[in-house]
Amino acid sequence: MLLAVKTPEELDISQLLAIYRSDSLENCTEMYPEEPSPEAALARYEDGYASFMKNEFFSQPGRLWMVETEDGLWVSALRLLPESGFWMIEALATHPDHRRRGYAARVVADTIRYLEEAHGAITLLSCVSRRNTASLRTHLHCGFLWEESPTVTVGRRYTMAYRSLQGDRSTGTGASSSKVSGVTRQS
């Protein structure tokens, strides 16, 4: 089931950090080389990330965490940022114990349906590393296309875009069998 998390109080930081832990382990020692151990670097990294989520992320209006759950466990998530005329996906990830089960595609497809139900036709952009073949496949599966003229380019990243068909609120991505009515809106 999809959760639309709109406030820091709704955010389950421990479950969210568990989704991103393997990525955090890759980044933490580079960000904090002065720490005496990888565990200390990870703790500092996760403390900083939790603080950012609680104190800064939600300070901008309309920002959401979209979280796919299975039996109450947070298994896949993405950050959703409203921009002028489009939405931006950031930080799409799935808990390592739940990868290769379609959860990333499900959170993306359910997010598309959530936005289309609320806003009609939408444009959704996502920067994906050229080397991240799993994420590329997920985005393509959910109806994203390569941007001919990227709106956002950062280093080795480029933009993929999903655009609703005008007047058609059904995306037909097939990534999730759940209907929009299965979305839980937390407020």
Side-chain angles (χ1 to χ4, degrees):
M1 175 174 16
L2 184 71
L3 301 178
V5 180
K6 299 176 182 177
T7 68
E9 295 77 28
E10 299 167 338
L11 202 57
D12 185 328
I13 293 291
S14 63
Q15 287 204 72
L16 188 68
L17 291 175
I19 290 172
Y20 293 94
R21 182 132 315 121
S22 62
D23 294 332
S24 298
L25 281 167
E26 290 178 20
N27 298 325
C28 68
T29 53
E30 289 179 25
M31 289 185 71
Y32 303 107
E34 70 280 3
E35 290 296 335
S37 68
E39 294 79 17
L42 178 64
R44 185 171 171 192
Y45 183 88
E46 287 186 339
D47 285 347
Y49 193 69
S51 177
F52 168 73
M53 295 316 317
K54 287 182 176 185
N55 301 313
E56 295 174 46
F57 178 78
F58 290 106
S59 67
Q60 298 294 317
R63 289 184 169 190
L64 302 168
W65 272 98
M66 305 303 281
V67 180
E68 199 66 43
T69 67
E70 186 71 35
D71 297 325
L73 181 66
W74 289 23
V75 294
S76 193
L78 60 84
R79 289 191 308 249
L80 190 60
L81 291 77
E83 298 291 340
S84 180
F86 64 94
W87 293 84
M88 182 70 123
I89 287 178
E90 291 184 339
L92 172 62
T94 300
H95 189 286
D97 294 345
H98 299 279
R99 290 183 180 152
R100 299 190 180 280
R101 296 185 195 168
Y103 288 113
R106 190 174 305 158
V107 74
V108 172
D110 287 349
T111 296
I112 289 168
R113 281 191 281 281
Y114 174 88
L115 290 172
E116 288 177 334
E117 180 183 74
H119 303 284
I122 59 159
T123 297
L124 188 58
L125 301 178
S126 185
C127 290
V128 181
S129 168
R130 294 178 189 263
R131 292 184 228 163
N132 191 342
T133 57
S135 186
L136 292 173
R137 275 189 240 123
T138 296
H139 282 77
L140 290 170
H141 176 76
C142 292
F144 281 74
L145 300 173
W146 309 109
E147 273 291 88
E148 297 274 337
S149 302
T151 307
V152 179
T153 303
V154 182
R156 296 178 187 221
R157 300 176 151 246
Y158 56 94
T159 301
M160 298 186 74
Y162 171 89
R163 290 181 176 81
S164 300
L165 297 175
Q166 202 62 359
D168 181 6
R169 295 172 88 160
S170 170
T171 65
T173 61
S176 174
S177 60
S178 64
K179 302 285 185 210
V180 138
S181 60
V183 173
T184 300
R185 290 174 188 84
Q186 296 184 346
S187 49

